[in-house]
Amino acid sequence: MSEAISTRPRRFALASASLAAAAALAGLGASWASGSRLSELPKGPVLDRAIERGTLVVGVRRYPRPAPPEAPTPPEPDGFDATLARELARSLGVKLELVGLDTATQEAALREGRVDLLVAGVPATTAPKGIDAAPGSYDTGSGLVVALRKGRVQDADSLRGASVCVGEGSGYAGAVSLRYGAQPRSYPSSVHAVSAFMAGECTALAEDEEVLQRLLKNEEWRFYKPLASGLRPPSDAAIRLPQGDEASRDYLAAALRQWRADGTLAKARGARAGNLQFEITLLKDGLVCHS
């Protein structure tokens, strides 16, 4: 069953710092909708219902953050997904309700009307029945693949058949599969994927280049090296909604264009990179993020 998520104070000093980083994401784009012409665009049934009830209900990815093994934290919304959902709600002048969903329940939640929209990265299936997608991707950027400096894979050509850790909803899964013939292994989040890679569960790791370039500057990452750069997801990280509502779809497409054009996307991606760098750094201190 899906579960409504709300942010709670952390019980640990380190995790509190992570929350502060997430708050930075939440504060991005405060003026995203102010002065825009989005409010003048028509809305279809999906968005009209949200406006009428005064709340936009958005399904997002969720996962636990790194925490001491004896006191794990509950799953929380993905900060990047939540940022876009927050900006959409603000543009409509309504409150936001985030609903954390596992991959297997996302499409059902949308079809059954438990959420108005899905903001959960690249969908696992293409053009699922009864579900539409607003044109345009809300998570653009170049990806990077890294591996052990002295591992069995020493160049991009050797990635064929190799296992590559990726986070759930990552477009880089399709990129490494199509471009290099690699075998992506999906984990609940980018932090989980990095943890699995560092534990030796995969030969390589694919993630946003900004995130990995930051990590490679850390001392504990001196054992890893870049293998392939310039990855471009073959599929969009699309905002999904019920099929048949062209007006709502067009509004969301316009919102995505503004999300990219006014710099909010770039700021959100930078904040995500910093947040992930902090959370991943906690892994070396014996903190875990597995549920």
Side-chain angles (χ1 to χ4, degrees):
M1 181 176 293
S2 64
E3 176 184 352
I5 306 291
S6 62
T7 303
R8 292 187 280 270
R10 298 292 178 88
R11 291 170 290 174
F12 311 99
L14 287 173
S16 294
S18 181
L19 183 61
L25 274 170
L28 286 172
S31 61
W32 186 54
S34 62
S36 77
R37 303 183 68 83
L38 282 177
S39 59
E40 301 174 11
L41 297 178
K43 288 84 175 172
V46 169
L47 298 182
D48 278 339
R49 283 194 294 271
I51 293 171
E52 184 177 355
R53 83 168 79 95
T55 303
L56 181 68
V57 184
V58 181
V60 296
R61 292 169 286 190
R62 64 170 182 177
Y63 50 91
R65 268 48 172 196
E70 68 275 9
T73 59
E76 296 180 20
D78 178 87
F80 191 75
D81 294 351
T83 298
L84 176 55
R86 190 173 293 108
E87 299 309 323
L88 290 172
R90 183 181 289 118
S91 76
L92 295 169
V94 298
K95 296 178 181 178
L96 172 67
E97 179 182 342
L98 294 175
V99 179
L101 296 168
D102 299 326
T103 305
T105 62
Q106 290 174 4
E107 293 178 4
L110 188 57
R111 289 195 185 94
E112 295 166 6
R114 289 184 279 133
V115 297
D116 300 316
L117 307 172
L118 277 177
V119 175
V122 176
T125 57
T126 57
K129 184 178 179 181
I131 295 177
D132 204 351
S137 181
Y138 70 83
D139 188 7
T140 61
S142 179
L144 185 68
V145 179
V146 299
L148 277 170
R149 286 190 177 278
K150 296 183 178 180
R152 68 176 185 85
V153 173
Q154 289 295 302
D155 54 50
D157 291 338
S158 301
L159 282 170
R160 178 165 298 277
S163 57
V164 180
C165 289
V166 294
E168 176 189 313
S170 171
Y172 303 127
V176 296
S177 177
L178 291 172
R179 186 169 173 179
Y180 300 110
Q183 300 295 320
R185 290 184 184 176
S186 183
Y187 293 84
S189 72
S190 293
V191 182
H192 285 79
V194 171
S195 177
F197 168 65
M198 296 176 74
E201 294 181 22
C202 305
T203 303
L205 168 71
E207 181 51 75
D208 183 89
E209 185 166 7
E210 183 175 356
V211 173
L212 291 180
Q213 290 292 4
R214 291 193 187 196
L215 290 171
L216 287 169
K217 294 177 182 178
N218 296 342
E219 176 66 18
E220 60 271 19
W221 280 71
R222 67 188 183 279
F223 303 107
Y224 306 106
K225 69 174 185 178
L227 279 187
S229 60
L231 289 184
R232 293 290 178 180
S235 302
D236 289 337
I239 302 175
R240 284 164 277 169
L241 71 163
Q243 205 166 49
D245 188 346
E246 293 186 5
S248 290
R249 185 194 64 191
D250 291 347
Y251 179 92
L252 294 171
L256 284 177
R257 289 193 295 271
Q258 183 165 317
W259 164 255
R260 294 190 296 271
D262 66 4
T264 305
L265 171 58
K267 292 178 182 178
R269 290 187 68 247
R272 175 183 180 269
N275 198 19
L276 282 175
Q277 181 183 20
F278 173 78
E279 292 180 346
I280 291 166
T281 300
L282 297 183
L283 297 174
K284 71 181 178 63
D285 296 324
L287 299 179
V288 296
C289 60
H290 297 283
S291 57

